[in-house]
Amino acid sequence: MTALTIGVLLIAALIFLVLLGMQIAVALFAVAFAGVWIIRDNFELAMRLLSITAYNGIADYLFATIPLFVLMGLLVSVSNVGRDTFEVAESLLRRIAGGLGVATVAANTVFAAVTGVSIASAAVFTRVAVPEMRRHGYRAGFSAGTVAGSSVLGMLIPPSLLLIIYGVLAEVSIGRMFVAGVIPGLMLALGFVAVIMLLARFRPGFVFTDPSAAARMATREREMGGGEIAVKLLPILLLVVLVLGGLYSGFFTPTEAGGVGAFGALVIALARRKLDRHRIWEVLKQTGTVSVGILILLIAAGFYSRMLSVAGIPNAIGDVVRMSGFGPYGFLMLYVVLLLLLGMILDSSSILLIMVPIAAPIAQSMGFDLIHFGIVTVIAVEIGLLTPPFGISVFTVHNTLADPSVGVEQIFLGTVPFMAVMLGSLALIALFPFLTLALT
């Protein structure tokens, strides 16, 4: 049996182990260790590679971005900044067609610029936006679907943990990945707004339980004054300007931006008196849990990548693709389809950890810019957050909502318009690389 055959069998074994419920990090370590041992018939070499990967895998200063941005996102969530952002957007946009849906997207867009985690956005706005939308006559499925659909912006609009993970795996600049995510993120946000307004105008039955009652209620709501709007928006706007302004101007490195952002979020939380001893401990504990989990995954992915190189998988697949006559965009289409299929059964991080070490070298050899390829990858993976049967954003909304009258199938149906926008945006971004590279 050749090394290539063994490598292919090991990739299949990895997916099988993950589907059985094994932790992705454990599965990556086990498969990579077994692969190096079997292919080279050398147990000591496998142990040496494992120790080298564990020691060097996350030793770089750059990896401090992960706990810092996680800490910033958790502090922002504790400070109720997401609720205030939604209330301002609700006041400003309630009179337009589908105004509360548009407000949810707008608030999610701003919130994404300081959290970087889709699940955090989904949890926050399920509590804030869904009850308010239902009170105004929006359908339960559409309300929850709007939150789940717009929550994916958290993984594309920088700072984003998925962009960080991709940058590490593909060995490209995380700062450039952040900048490249701006235009696609805004495209998605504007597409979501457009589809909500069109549905509210031409398919009101999909959006509202009673469109006329919803319109009457919107006109009766109290308008928020300019001073109140400024007070509610000032903290998050200052944080966005501080972090993203410093990052895009080159004044901060990504790691420094994470540190400054975490400090700014701490100041906001303290100023709002949202931190006591218990909450500080919970925030620090969650930061450690999330960060350590991601860093262990990255070490495991590094070891897995070394096994793939030993087996010759990337070169072999690249040769097959080149000889097949598909060409670069044929390869990209097959890759995206595979990501969409994997999104139905695996979470975002797992898909990146399995696929990027294989696909990135092939994409580079076929002439793709790895920054552009990364944005295409992240959007395709993010669609998986909304697709059944896994759909982690949908299940997050469903579990947070804890309303037996709202079934998970209703939420999946409510996300369909958002998936359509994402697929359309993915096609445009794949065909026109300047949409990702214009700012870089």
Side-chain angles (χ1 to χ4, degrees):
M1 191 179 295
T2 65
L4 179 61
T5 304
I6 294 170
V8 172
L9 291 174
L10 287 168
I11 293 173
L14 172 64
I15 296 174
F16 179 70
L17 290 173
V18 173
L19 291 177
L20 283 180
M22 181 179 286
Q23 292 289 333
I24 181 68
V26 176
L28 285 167
F29 276 125
V31 167
F33 187 88
V36 175
W37 184 6
I38 294 170
I39 292 168
R40 291 297 176 90
D41 193 23
N42 190 328
F43 180 81
E44 290 186 3
L45 175 63
M47 288 294 294
R48 195 177 303 117
L49 276 177
L50 176 59
S51 64
I52 291 171
T53 305
Y55 182 76
N56 295 328
I58 56 172
D60 196 286
Y61 169 72
L62 181 66
F63 288 93
T65 55
I66 293 172
L68 290 171
F69 279 124
V70 171
L71 176 60
M72 180 177 71
L74 291 172
L75 287 170
V76 167
S77 296
V78 166
S79 305
N80 287 333
V81 168
R83 183 195 64 194
D84 289 350
T85 306
F86 175 77
E87 288 176 354
V88 171
E90 175 191 1
S91 176
L92 296 175
L93 300 169
R94 69 183 186 279
R95 292 181 183 274
I96 68 173
L100 285 186
V102 175
T104 302
V105 174
N108 244 321
T109 303
V110 177
F111 196 67
V114 291
T115 56
V117 183
S118 293
I119 305 306
S121 298
V124 168
F125 287 103
T126 299
R127 299 189 194 99
V128 171
V130 173
E132 193 69 7
M133 292 177 74
R134 294 188 68 181
R135 186 173 72 84
H136 282 76
Y138 286 72
R139 289 192 176 276
F142 179 79
S143 303
T146 299
V147 171
S150 58
S151 72
V152 301
L153 295 169
M155 283 300 187
L156 190 60
I157 294 178
S160 157
L161 286 182
L162 275 193
L163 293 180
I164 293 173
I165 291 172
Y166 174 85
V168 171
L169 294 174
E171 298 181 358
V172 296
S173 165
I174 291 174
R176 287 190 67 204
M177 287 299 304
F178 282 175
V179 174
V182 173
I183 293 177
L186 293 177
M187 279 180 60
L188 284 181
L190 291 173
F192 292 162
V193 167
V195 79
I196 290 171
M197 294 178 68
L198 289 172
L199 285 171
R201 175 70 176 83
F202 298 106
R203 291 289 303 275
F206 184 82
V207 178
F208 306 105
T209 54
D210 185 348
S212 58
R216 288 195 300 272
M217 184 173 286
T219 59
R220 291 200 301 265
E221 291 293 313
R222 177 184 72 87
E223 288 192 8
M224 192 178 290
E228 190 178 356
I229 289 174
V231 168
K232 287 181 176 291
L233 275 190
L234 187 61
I236 195 167
L237 291 180
L238 287 176
L239 199 56
V240 169
V241 170
L242 181 66
V243 175
L244 299 188
L247 185 63
Y248 297 155
S249 67
F251 192 74
F252 299 147
T253 66
T255 307
E256 291 166 346
V260 170
F263 178 75
L266 176 63
V267 171
I268 291 171
L270 290 173
R272 291 184 162 210
R273 298 182 180 180
K274 297 296 183 181
L275 284 181
D276 54 25
R277 185 179 302 175
H278 174 71
R279 282 184 173 175
I280 289 173
W281 171 245
E282 284 300 314
V283 165
L284 292 176
K285 187 167 67 173
Q286 287 185 49
T287 300
T289 301
V290 173
S291 302
V292 169
I294 293 171
L295 293 171
I296 288 175
L297 283 172
L298 291 175
I299 293 173
F303 192 31
Y304 168 70
S305 182
R306 289 172 187 253
M307 184 276 291
L308 293 176
S309 299
V310 170
I313 295 288
N315 291 336
I317 295 178
D319 291 340
V320 169
V321 171
R322 280 188 289 271
M323 290 187 295
S324 67
F326 281 124
Y329 280 92
F331 159 72
L332 187 62
M333 184 178 70
L334 290 174
Y335 173 66
V336 167
V337 169
L338 182 57
L339 291 180
L340 295 176
L341 292 174
L342 288 174
M344 296 181 181
I345 55 175
L346 297 175
D347 65 279
S348 303
S349 299
S350 299
I351 298 170
L352 287 183
L353 293 165
I354 293 169
M355 293 302 301
V356 171
I358 300 172
I362 300 169
Q364 191 169 30
S365 70
M366 302 192 81
F368 286 105
D369 186 295
L370 287 184
I371 300 292
H372 169 236
F373 186 74
I375 298 299
V376 171
T377 297
V378 169
I379 294 175
V381 167
E382 282 294 279
I383 295 173
L385 292 178
L386 305 177
T387 52
F390 195 75
I392 189 169
S393 280
V394 172
F395 281 102
T396 299
V397 170
H398 183 258
N399 292 337
T400 306
L401 197 58
D403 185 346
S405 68
V406 184
V408 70
E409 70 282 352
Q410 293 176 266
I411 305 177
F412 275 121
L413 181 62
T415 63
V416 169
F418 300 94
M419 284 193 283
V421 170
M422 293 184 75
L423 287 169
S425 299
L426 177 62
L428 286 174
I429 289 165
L431 292 172
F432 302 105
F434 70 86
L435 292 173
T436 59
L437 303 177
L439 299 179
T440 63

